[in-house]
Amino acid sequence: MDKLAIIEKEGANYFLYELQGALNAYTIGEFQNTLYQAVLENNIVLDMSELVELDNSGIGFLMAAFNDSVEAGNKLYFLSMSNEADKAFTATGFKSLFNIVNSVTEIS
């Protein structure tokens, strides 16, 4: 089974989660509650540069968290997407709706 490593860091006006490994139906559980609560309270940045897998379950989870952040008046940013993450977001047809950044200096 694939693994997901999560490293949390605090920025000036956001929390950063570095995701390493696979974000899929098997690994979402360990991160789901953390992210859903975090987007209600803060701006969140997900560093996706080290994701090697992002399946439909992972995309659905991220879309739900994104919607929750909008409703809470916060922002969920996707930073430095890996090839696999970029392909998964592009396949949704909604990639242009997300807050995709290449550097934390782009975060407002």
Side-chain angles (χ1 to χ4, degrees):
M1 189 174 352
D2 296 321
K3 300 231 183 241
L4 176 66
I6 304 159
I7 300 168
E8 182 179 346
K9 298 179 180 179
E10 190 172 345
N13 62 340
Y14 61 87
F15 282 93
L16 171 73
Y17 295 95
E18 294 177 1
L19 307 179
Q20 301 169 346
L23 185 58
N24 58 35
Y26 299 109
T27 62
I28 286 172
E30 62 189 79
F31 186 45
Q32 191 170 17
N33 292 337
T34 300
L35 184 59
Y36 283 154
Q37 187 61 42
V39 298
L40 297 177
E41 300 170 358
N42 301 293
N43 293 322
I44 302 298
V45 179
L46 298 180
D47 181 346
M48 304 177 75
S49 61
E50 298 294 322
L51 277 183
V52 295
E53 180 186 347
L54 181 58
D55 71 0
N56 290 337
S57 298
I59 282 288
F61 159 61
L62 294 175
M63 290 176 79
F66 181 81
N67 290 336
D68 287 353
S69 72
V70 170
E71 288 178 16
N74 295 318
K75 290 192 176 182
L76 175 59
Y77 296 92
F78 301 98
L79 172 68
S80 303
M81 287 201 279
S82 68
N83 243 4
E84 293 303 314
D86 187 60
K87 286 181 200 174
F89 271 82
T90 300
T92 67
F94 299 115
K95 183 178 174 184
S96 63
L97 300 177
F98 296 109
N99 302 315
I100 299 172
V101 294
N102 293 313
S103 169
V104 291
T105 59
E106 297 177 49
I107 297 165
S108 53

